[in-house]
Amino acid sequence: MSSDEYLRRTAITRLSVTAEDERLLRDTVDAWRRGCQIGVEKAWNRCHDKSDVQSLAYDEIRDRTTLGSQHTILATHQAAENIRSCRSRRENGRKASKPIYTSPTVRYDSRTMTVFEEDEQVSLTVAGKHSRVRCDLVLPEDEDGYQRQYLDGQWEPTESTLHYRDGDWFLHLGFRKLRPDTEQTTTENGTVLGVDLGVEQIAVTSTARFFSAGELNHRRREFERVRGGLQKCGSRSAHRTLETVSGREDEFVKHVLHSVANGIVAEARRFECDGIVFEELSGIRTRLPNVAWHAEWAFERLYAYVEYKAEAAGLFVDTVDPRNTSRRCAECGHVDEANRPSRETFECEVCGNRNHADYNAAKNVAAAYLRREQQSSRRRGVSRYALKSGTVSERNGFAPYESTDKSPNPEATSSG
């Protein structure tokens, strides 16, 4: 069955572990990292398909680590995915060095993890002769805590990841269930929200909501400074601290991206949109070479967060070809590189339209989707896109809202 037939969610939950369980989990982390590293060493520059890496490295991982059979398979698959990612980056002209596994994480699947929903506990396979540990899920006291909605028997636990950070163990529990057997439809005059991804702004919407990357850039520079000092030190203690710092940085980025995703979905709902449209992510790192906080995974993760949050709100998410969205005037359609005198400024040479470049691009993303809809046989009935003060359609142009009730909080919005 295709993965597209499933709804997928992740619930992050802290675990309550005993001192003995913690020792076993730490041993498992160490064995997992060694297993993944062996997989990479065996397969680097040789293969990257999961089955090939598994055939090549399985026996050696079993001989040199205390991982069980299924975790050994998962380690070879992890190595294959990372090798494939490095290969993809190199094919796109970017640097990609051999992966080194330092993060205190372990992957789990349905064979290595069991969730006991009624008891609010989880059983995890560990390395060595002790086959399993059973831990309590530390859920919010509030019965409405979001994790509980996935423990109702309707969601199936699937691939998950165990993380150690700041002295605690966290399980990123994956869940899935079949999508409802209904086709998603929109009204004949459906509306979309355009979203542009940028450099100084993580995202900008066609309704002029700006999500700044300023704090993310600042914190990333701080993490880089701390990591640099620890790497120079080179001690064992510094290495352990480096792992913790890297974990904190990753969690901070994910927290920011979750916040941005929530804001984008809230914006779409505020303006009664039927869907959210991004530019295609393929090649985005090349198009945005100066993004200080970026890595391709960050853009992909933001899109994934928006996708499942939008789905829960009854919205679709789609992408369009980003060609010329940064150079096209959203008012008159003139396309020219000279329309971008600076990174943040758009000034059309023909009609004189002057605006924030990312805001202009967000409107172009939405407009490109409308043009594609007119030519598509799979039409959703979308005919216009949302602005802060009204909507724009290809046929009828701008139409103001009947009231200003939809206007978002001005403190969270910039008109550019």
Side-chain angles (χ1 to χ4, degrees):
M1 184 170 288
S2 168
S3 61
D4 288 339
E5 296 184 62
Y6 285 100
L7 298 175
R8 297 182 182 273
R9 301 290 185 270
T10 300
I12 301 176
T13 308
R14 186 168 65 85
L15 300 182
S16 175
V17 302
T18 66
E20 175 61 14
D21 289 346
E22 175 152 351
R23 183 185 67 79
L24 295 172
L25 291 174
R26 283 184 175 275
D27 289 345
T28 305
V29 166
D30 291 341
W32 169 261
R33 290 188 294 201
R34 288 198 301 275
C36 293
Q37 199 66 54
I38 291 169
V40 165
E41 297 296 336
K42 294 286 288 184
W44 187 250
N45 287 334
R46 296 181 63 180
C47 58
H48 60 273
D49 289 334
K50 290 182 179 180
S51 59
D52 292 339
V53 179
Q54 181 178 328
S55 298
L56 194 64
Y58 179 88
D59 290 339
E60 185 166 341
I61 295 175
R62 289 302 307 274
D63 290 341
R64 293 175 54 189
T65 75
T66 53
L67 291 178
S69 175
Q70 185 61 19
H71 256 142
T72 297
I73 293 172
L74 292 176
T76 64
H77 292 179
Q78 179 74 63
E81 291 172 11
N82 296 141
I83 293 172
R84 185 184 299 112
S85 177
C86 290
R87 179 175 176 175
S88 176
R89 289 199 295 270
R90 287 189 294 182
E91 288 175 349
N92 288 317
R94 303 192 299 272
K95 293 182 180 179
S97 57
K98 185 187 299 183
I100 298 176
Y101 295 90
T102 59
S103 297
T105 64
V106 184
R107 180 183 291 187
Y108 282 87
D109 65 1
S110 59
R111 295 186 180 184
T112 53
M113 177 190 74
T114 303
V115 178
F116 299 94
E117 296 170 351
E118 291 187 2
D119 297 330
E120 297 182 353
Q121 292 182 328
V122 64
S123 172
L124 301 172
T125 298
V126 291
K129 62 180 180 179
H130 301 279
S131 61
R132 292 238 172 183
V133 297
R134 185 158 171 162
C135 310
D136 291 329
L137 301 173
V138 183
L139 301 175
E141 294 182 5
D142 184 352
E143 287 298 321
D144 294 328
Y146 86 96
Q147 294 95 335
R148 284 193 168 87
Q149 65 185 296
Y150 305 119
L151 301 175
D152 60 0
Q154 298 183 39
W155 292 84
E156 174 191 357
T158 184
E159 193 166 279
S160 305
T161 309
L162 181 68
H163 295 254
Y164 179 77
R165 63 177 182 272
D166 298 335
D168 284 312
W169 294 91
F170 293 87
L171 190 60
H172 292 217
L173 275 166
F175 292 94
R176 71 178 187 179
K177 71 176 180 180
L178 288 172
R179 295 179 185 273
D181 189 21
T182 57
E183 291 189 7
Q184 188 175 28
T185 59
T186 63
T187 62
E188 185 176 349
N189 295 313
T191 306
V192 293
L193 180 78
V195 181
D196 178 67
L197 304 175
V199 178
E200 298 300 327
Q201 311 295 329
I202 298 173
V204 179
T205 71
S206 59
T207 54
R209 185 166 183 184
F210 285 60
F211 298 91
S212 174
E215 176 65 14
L216 196 54
N217 287 334
H218 171 71
R219 290 290 295 273
R220 182 178 178 275
R221 287 192 293 268
E222 288 297 305
F223 281 122
E224 284 185 341
R225 181 183 60 78
V226 172
R227 279 202 307 272
L230 292 170
Q231 288 169 345
K232 286 182 180 179
C233 180
S235 68
R236 252 185 167 180
S237 175
H239 181 70
R240 287 194 296 269
T241 304
L242 182 62
E243 293 177 0
T244 301
V245 169
S246 297
R248 286 178 181 170
E249 180 178 16
D250 186 46
E251 291 305 313
F252 175 73
V253 172
K254 286 190 287 187
H255 170 75
V256 171
L257 296 180
H258 265 297
S259 178
V260 173
N262 285 334
I264 291 172
V265 173
E267 193 76 354
R269 296 184 68 181
R270 177 182 291 117
F271 286 88
E272 300 177 3
C273 295
D274 298 284
I276 300 168
V277 181
F278 287 85
E279 57 187 326
E280 291 173 1
L281 299 181
S282 176
I284 194 169
R285 190 168 179 178
T286 302
R287 299 198 302 273
L288 300 177
N290 299 315
V291 184
W293 59 272
H294 90 299
E296 196 159 342
W297 66 264
F299 292 112
E300 292 172 348
R301 186 168 291 176
L302 174 61
Y303 182 87
Y305 290 165
V306 171
E307 190 171 37
Y308 83 72
K309 293 172 189 289
E311 188 172 49
L315 308 172
F316 71 83
V317 179
D318 210 338
T319 62
V320 294
D321 188 333
R323 191 179 310 150
N324 292 329
T325 53
S326 64
R327 297 182 293 180
R328 179 189 297 272
C329 175
E331 301 299 323
C332 74
H334 175 64
V335 179
D336 198 310
E337 289 185 5
N339 287 344
R340 291 284 300 273
S342 70
R343 177 189 293 173
E344 295 186 357
T345 303
F346 185 93
E347 189 168 354
C348 181
E349 290 195 320
V350 172
C351 72
N353 168 42
R354 195 172 190 276
N355 216 317
H356 192 288
D358 295 340
Y359 177 43
N360 179 79
K363 292 190 284 186
N364 281 328
V365 167
Y369 186 79
L370 299 190
R371 291 193 293 271
R372 195 181 75 185
E373 276 286 289
Q374 291 180 346
Q375 303 168 3
S376 174
S377 61
R378 64 179 185 95
R379 294 178 186 172
R380 285 191 169 104
V382 172
S383 62
R384 59 192 183 186
Y385 68 85
L387 295 176
K388 183 178 180 181
S389 54
T391 61
V392 173
S393 69
E394 288 287 294
R395 180 177 298 177
N396 300 317
F398 175 75
Y401 295 124
E402 294 181 1
S403 70
T404 59
D405 293 341
K406 294 178 182 178
S407 296
N409 184 340
E411 292 182 0
T413 306
S414 170
S415 63

